[in-house]
Amino acid sequence: DGGITQSPKYLFRKEGQNVTLSCEQNLNHDAMYWYRQDPGQGLRLIYYSQIVNDFQKGDIAEGYSVSREKKESFPLTVTSAQKNPTAFYLCASSIDSRPQHFGDGTRLSIL
Amino acid sequence: QKEVEQNSGPLSVPEGAIASLNCTYSDRVSQSFFWYRQYSGKSPELIMSIYSNGDKEDGRFTAQLNKASQYVSLLIRDSQPSDSATYLCAVNAKAGTASKLTFGTGTRLQVTL
């Protein structure tokens, strides 16, 4: 089945630690996105990528980094510079200007 | 001013009634509009998309768009308890080939028995 796979489902970060969230899609979509959702809030765009080896900052990129070495994969690293990383992280993909579809998300918490 | 605004709710409607969810947006050049449903603890699921003025119907759902008023709405007919969720309005600020969406904070819908 085609879809977007995010892993892990739950992740815990220690102080000063970088953690990487995985996002893989087999939909052959060109564009991929990372969002952050805080309780009771909408989604805020962290980074997005339109093609391989290219990505742009979204509205809240500080403290995060991404790479897009393969069309299928768009991992997100939450660095130690992100002081409030606890949130629900959602990866999405799309093709052309069609609607975005989401993975199941990763919940990140601080230990 | 928020770019996409929704009433946070909760909006409470009895089973079988029509639920009306509203959304306003500030960017006049927005071209595409989407409604996502999000159950508690889950990821958003696309339920409707609309691109031109007027109504678009899909089953029990109707999306309405008025670009002059910068207003988009979602009607849910014959509301069911399974419709209880948060509904997110999203607007496309197109960026190249990427569909860069701006989301509202969502309206929580409660369908009561």
Side-chain angles (χ1 to χ4, degrees):
Chain A
D1 282 6
I4 303 169
T5 301
Q6 289 188 242
S7 62
K9 190 171 183 178
Y10 298 96
L11 187 59
F12 298 91
R13 195 192 87 169
K14 296 179 182 179
E15 290 288 339
Q17 185 182 44
N18 293 352
V19 292
T20 297
L21 285 60
S22 171
C23 178
E24 304 276 334
Q25 55 99 359
N26 61 3
L27 301 168
N28 199 33
H29 286 177
D30 295 307
M32 297 185 74
Y33 314 80
W34 274 106
Y35 293 90
R36 168 182 173 139
Q37 187 176 35
D38 293 284
Q41 300 297 312
L43 279 65
R44 292 184 290 168
L45 182 64
I46 304 172
Y47 270 97
Y48 65 102
S49 168
Q50 300 180 57
I51 56 173
V52 174
N53 293 323
D54 185 57
F55 48 83
Q56 287 80 40
K57 293 182 179 180
D59 300 318
I60 55 165
E62 186 174 350
Y64 300 97
S65 66
V66 294
S67 62
R68 186 87 187 275
E69 297 177 1
K70 298 186 300 182
K71 187 175 185 177
E72 302 79 19
S73 179
F74 191 41
L76 173 74
T77 297
V78 183
T79 75
S80 57
Q82 173 48 249
K83 297 306 179 187
N84 184 23
T86 298
F88 187 36
Y89 289 87
L90 289 156
C91 178
S93 69
S94 68
I95 188 166
D96 299 325
S97 59
R98 295 179 189 174
Q100 295 177 23
H101 293 272
F102 289 85
D104 289 338
T106 293
R107 291 198 180 278
L108 176 62
S109 301
I110 296 180
L111 282 178
Chain B
Q1 181 186 4
K2 290 183 180 177
E3 295 182 43
V4 178
E5 293 208 45
Q6 297 180 254
N7 188 319
S8 61
L11 172 66
S12 184
V13 299
E15 184 177 6
I18 296 174
S20 177
L21 304 161
N22 303 317
C23 172
T24 58
Y25 60 95
S26 60
D27 189 348
R28 285 193 168 274
V29 302
S30 299
Q31 299 179 19
S32 308
F33 307 85
F34 308 97
W35 284 99
Y36 287 83
R37 177 177 62 199
Q38 186 175 26
Y39 292 113
S40 181
K42 302 296 185 181
S43 63
E45 172 193 10
L46 179 72
I47 55 171
M48 288 291 285
S49 56
I50 188 165
Y51 303 94
S52 56
N53 281 330
D55 295 359
K56 178 182 178 183
E57 185 175 321
D58 183 0
R60 295 187 297 112
F61 299 101
T62 299
Q64 299 174 318
L65 175 61
N66 183 328
K67 289 187 178 180
S69 299
Q70 295 175 245
Y71 173 94
V72 58
S73 66
L74 179 70
L75 300 178
I76 306 174
R77 290 182 298 282
D78 188 24
S79 295
Q80 301 297 309
S82 60
D83 295 326
S84 297
T86 296
Y87 290 80
L88 300 170
C89 173
V91 175
N92 182 359
K94 193 168 176 67
T97 58
S99 175
K100 187 179 175 186
L101 295 181
T102 301
F103 284 82
T105 55
T107 297
R108 188 157 63 95
L109 173 66
Q110 293 177 340
V111 180
T112 58
L113 296 173

mmCIF file of all heavy atoms in Angstrom, chain A residues 23-43:
data_model
loop_
_atom_site.group_PDB
_atom_site.id
_atom_site.type_symbol
_atom_site.label_atom_id
_atom_site.label_comp_id
_atom_site.label_asym_id
_atom_site.label_seq_id
_atom_site.Cartn_x
_atom_site.Cartn_y
_atom_site.Cartn_z
ATOM 1 N N CYS A 23 10.789 10.163 8.120
ATOM 2 C CA CYS A 23 9.600 10.239 7.279
ATOM 3 C C CYS A 23 9.930 9.646 5.921
ATOM 4 O O CYS A 23 10.861 10.109 5.247
ATOM 5 C CB CYS A 23 9.131 11.674 7.129
ATOM 6 S SG CYS A 23 7.676 11.816 6.053
ATOM 7 N N GLU A 24 9.197 8.608 5.548
ATOM 8 C CA GLU A 24 9.389 7.933 4.269
ATOM 9 C C GLU A 24 8.051 7.857 3.544
ATOM 10 O O GLU A 24 7.030 7.553 4.160
ATOM 11 C CB GLU A 24 9.914 6.513 4.482
ATOM 12 C CG GLU A 24 11.195 6.405 5.290
ATOM 13 C CD GLU A 24 12.427 6.614 4.443
ATOM 14 O OE1 GLU A 24 12.360 6.347 3.224
ATOM 15 O OE2 GLU A 24 13.458 7.047 4.988
ATOM 16 N N GLN A 25 8.074 8.106 2.228
ATOM 17 C CA GLN A 25 6.846 7.969 1.435
ATOM 18 C C GLN A 25 7.110 7.171 0.171
ATOM 19 O O GLN A 25 8.184 7.295 -0.425
ATOM 20 C CB GLN A 25 6.255 9.355 1.112
ATOM 21 C CG GLN A 25 7.189 10.323 0.421
ATOM 22 C CD GLN A 25 7.021 10.428 -1.078
ATOM 23 O OE1 GLN A 25 6.178 9.749 -1.676
ATOM 24 N NE2 GLN A 25 7.820 11.284 -1.697
ATOM 25 N N ASN A 26 6.132 6.365 -0.211
ATOM 26 C CA ASN A 26 6.243 5.583 -1.447
ATOM 27 C C ASN A 26 5.146 5.969 -2.428
ATOM 28 O O ASN A 26 4.686 5.136 -3.213
ATOM 29 C CB ASN A 26 6.230 4.088 -1.135
ATOM 30 C CG ASN A 26 4.947 3.653 -0.450
ATOM 31 O OD1 ASN A 26 4.037 4.459 -0.247
ATOM 32 N ND2 ASN A 26 4.867 2.391 -0.085
ATOM 33 N N LEU A 27 4.746 7.233 -2.368
ATOM 34 C CA LEU A 27 3.688 7.761 -3.224
ATOM 35 C C LEU A 27 4.236 8.432 -4.476
ATOM 36 O O LEU A 27 3.471 8.930 -5.299
ATOM 37 C CB LEU A 27 2.850 8.771 -2.420
ATOM 38 C CG LEU A 27 2.187 8.209 -1.166
ATOM 39 C CD1 LEU A 27 1.643 9.346 -0.290
ATOM 40 C CD2 LEU A 27 1.059 7.256 -1.551
ATOM 41 N N ASN A 28 5.574 8.490 -4.580
ATOM 42 C CA ASN A 28 6.242 9.177 -5.679
ATOM 43 C C ASN A 28 5.890 10.675 -5.699
ATOM 44 O O ASN A 28 5.837 11.307 -6.767
ATOM 45 C CB ASN A 28 5.901 8.549 -7.039
ATOM 46 C CG ASN A 28 6.910 8.929 -8.116
ATOM 47 O OD1 ASN A 28 8.098 9.097 -7.827
ATOM 48 N ND2 ASN A 28 6.448 9.067 -9.346
ATOM 49 N N HIS A 29 5.648 11.235 -4.523
ATOM 50 C CA HIS A 29 5.358 12.662 -4.413
ATOM 51 C C HIS A 29 6.654 13.466 -4.445
ATOM 52 O O HIS A 29 7.667 13.061 -3.868
ATOM 53 C CB HIS A 29 4.607 12.959 -3.114
ATOM 54 C CG HIS A 29 3.177 12.534 -3.140
ATOM 55 N ND1 HIS A 29 2.337 12.657 -2.049
ATOM 56 C CD2 HIS A 29 2.418 12.021 -4.139
ATOM 57 C CE1 HIS A 29 1.139 12.230 -2.386
ATOM 58 N NE2 HIS A 29 1.164 11.822 -3.637
ATOM 59 N N ASP A 30 6.591 14.607 -5.113
ATOM 60 C CA ASP A 30 7.771 15.457 -5.192
ATOM 61 C C ASP A 30 8.003 16.258 -3.920
ATOM 62 O O ASP A 30 9.125 16.442 -3.481
ATOM 63 C CB ASP A 30 7.628 16.436 -6.374
ATOM 64 C CG ASP A 30 7.609 15.715 -7.709
ATOM 65 O OD1 ASP A 30 8.534 14.922 -7.957
ATOM 66 O OD2 ASP A 30 6.673 15.947 -8.487
ATOM 67 N N ALA A 31 6.932 16.780 -3.350
ATOM 68 C CA ALA A 31 7.051 17.703 -2.224
ATOM 69 C C ALA A 31 6.801 16.989 -0.894
ATOM 70 O O ALA A 31 5.934 16.121 -0.785
ATOM 71 C CB ALA A 31 6.060 18.856 -2.380
ATOM 72 N N MET A 32 7.586 17.380 0.086
ATOM 73 C CA MET A 32 7.415 16.848 1.440
ATOM 74 C C MET A 32 7.522 17.986 2.436
ATOM 75 O O MET A 32 8.163 19.017 2.166
ATOM 76 C CB MET A 32 8.458 15.760 1.734
ATOM 77 C CG MET A 32 8.320 14.552 0.818
ATOM 78 S SD MET A 32 9.424 13.195 1.235
ATOM 79 C CE MET A 32 8.641 12.541 2.719
ATOM 80 N N TYR A 33 6.873 17.794 3.580
ATOM 81 C CA TYR A 33 6.725 18.870 4.559
ATOM 82 C C TYR A 33 6.878 18.318 5.974
ATOM 83 O O TYR A 33 6.494 17.180 6.248
ATOM 84 C CB TYR A 33 5.319 19.501 4.454
ATOM 85 C CG TYR A 33 4.858 19.795 3.062
ATOM 86 C CD1 TYR A 33 4.341 18.792 2.254
ATOM 87 C CD2 TYR A 33 4.918 21.086 2.550
ATOM 88 C CE1 TYR A 33 3.906 19.057 0.971
ATOM 89 C CE2 TYR A 33 4.484 21.360 1.264
ATOM 90 C CZ TYR A 33 3.975 20.337 0.487
ATOM 91 O OH TYR A 33 3.546 20.612 -0.783
ATOM 92 N N TRP A 34 7.307 19.189 6.887
ATOM 93 C CA TRP A 34 7.267 18.888 8.312
ATOM 94 C C TRP A 34 6.496 19.987 9.029
ATOM 95 O O TRP A 34 6.750 21.184 8.822
ATOM 96 C CB TRP A 34 8.684 18.821 8.897
ATOM 97 C CG TRP A 34 9.325 17.485 8.747
ATOM 98 C CD1 TRP A 34 10.316 17.128 7.883
ATOM 99 C CD2 TRP A 34 9.025 16.318 9.520
ATOM 100 N NE1 TRP A 34 10.642 15.810 8.070
ATOM 101 C CE2 TRP A 34 9.874 15.292 9.056
ATOM 102 C CE3 TRP A 34 8.130 16.034 10.562
ATOM 103 C CZ2 TRP A 34 9.860 14.004 9.596
ATOM 104 C CZ3 TRP A 34 8.111 14.758 11.088
ATOM 105 C CH2 TRP A 34 8.975 13.763 10.612
ATOM 106 N N TYR A 35 5.573 19.530 9.890
ATOM 107 C CA TYR A 35 4.792 20.434 10.709
ATOM 108 C C TYR A 35 4.965 20.074 12.180
ATOM 109 O O TYR A 35 5.227 18.927 12.528
ATOM 110 C CB TYR A 35 3.293 20.318 10.384
ATOM 111 C CG TYR A 35 2.896 20.794 9.021
ATOM 112 C CD1 TYR A 35 2.886 19.928 7.937
ATOM 113 C CD2 TYR A 35 2.510 22.118 8.817
ATOM 114 C CE1 TYR A 35 2.502 20.367 6.682
ATOM 115 C CE2 TYR A 35 2.124 22.560 7.557
ATOM 116 C CZ TYR A 35 2.122 21.671 6.509
ATOM 117 O OH TYR A 35 1.743 22.123 5.265
ATOM 118 N N ARG A 36 4.715 21.067 12.984
ATOM 119 C CA ARG A 36 4.668 20.858 14.427
ATOM 120 C C ARG A 36 3.282 21.256 14.909
ATOM 121 O O ARG A 36 2.725 22.265 14.453
ATOM 122 C CB ARG A 36 5.719 21.745 15.088
ATOM 123 C CG ARG A 36 5.591 21.859 16.590
ATOM 124 C CD ARG A 36 6.629 22.781 17.170
ATOM 125 N NE ARG A 36 6.351 22.978 18.587
ATOM 126 C CZ ARG A 36 7.277 23.019 19.531
ATOM 127 N NH1 ARG A 36 8.561 22.915 19.207
ATOM 128 N NH2 ARG A 36 6.933 23.197 20.797
ATOM 129 N N GLN A 37 2.722 20.451 15.821
ATOM 130 C CA GLN A 37 1.421 20.776 16.401
ATOM 131 C C GLN A 37 1.534 20.724 17.925
ATOM 132 O O GLN A 37 1.913 19.710 18.493
ATOM 133 C CB GLN A 37 0.335 19.810 15.929
ATOM 134 C CG GLN A 37 -1.059 20.221 16.377
ATOM 135 C CD GLN A 37 -2.148 19.325 15.821
ATOM 136 O OE1 GLN A 37 -1.949 18.124 15.660
ATOM 137 N NE2 GLN A 37 -3.293 19.899 15.503
ATOM 138 N N ASP A 38 1.184 21.830 18.557
ATOM 139 C CA ASP A 38 1.136 21.910 20.009
ATOM 140 C C ASP A 38 -0.306 21.721 20.457
ATOM 141 O O ASP A 38 -1.238 21.982 19.686
ATOM 142 C CB ASP A 38 1.708 23.246 20.481
ATOM 143 C CG ASP A 38 3.193 23.350 20.192
ATOM 144 O OD1 ASP A 38 3.965 22.715 20.933
ATOM 145 O OD2 ASP A 38 3.580 24.020 19.216
ATOM 146 N N PRO A 39 -0.522 21.295 21.699
ATOM 147 C CA PRO A 39 -1.890 21.003 22.164
ATOM 148 C C PRO A 39 -2.851 22.156 21.908
ATOM 149 O O PRO A 39 -2.561 23.300 22.257
ATOM 150 C CB PRO A 39 -1.688 20.744 23.655
ATOM 151 C CG PRO A 39 -0.288 20.245 23.768
ATOM 152 C CD PRO A 39 0.493 21.009 22.735
ATOM 153 N N GLY A 40 -3.985 21.840 21.306
ATOM 154 C CA GLY A 40 -5.009 22.843 21.050
ATOM 155 C C GLY A 40 -4.649 23.840 19.971
ATOM 156 O O GLY A 40 -5.349 24.851 19.810
ATOM 157 N N GLN A 41 -3.601 23.554 19.229
ATOM 158 C CA GLN A 41 -3.146 24.487 18.197
ATOM 159 C C GLN A 41 -3.249 23.870 16.826
ATOM 160 O O GLN A 41 -3.353 22.660 16.667
ATOM 161 C CB GLN A 41 -1.690 24.883 18.463
ATOM 162 C CG GLN A 41 -1.462 25.552 19.800
ATOM 163 C CD GLN A 41 -2.200 26.875 19.906
ATOM 164 O OE1 GLN A 41 -2.124 27.697 18.990
ATOM 165 N NE2 GLN A 41 -2.917 27.081 20.988
ATOM 166 N N GLY A 42 -3.163 24.725 15.816
ATOM 167 C CA GLY A 42 -3.107 24.244 14.453
ATOM 168 C C GLY A 42 -1.693 23.776 14.119
ATOM 169 O O GLY A 42 -0.820 23.696 14.985
ATOM 170 N N LEU A 43 -1.482 23.477 12.868
ATOM 171 C CA LEU A 43 -0.178 22.999 12.418
ATOM 172 C C LEU A 43 0.684 24.179 11.989
ATOM 173 O O LEU A 43 0.205 25.081 11.295
ATOM 174 C CB LEU A 43 -0.353 22.050 11.233
ATOM 175 C CG LEU A 43 -0.722 20.605 11.542
ATOM 176 C CD1 LEU A 43 -2.084 20.492 12.186
ATOM 177 C CD2 LEU A 43 -0.662 19.772 10.277
#
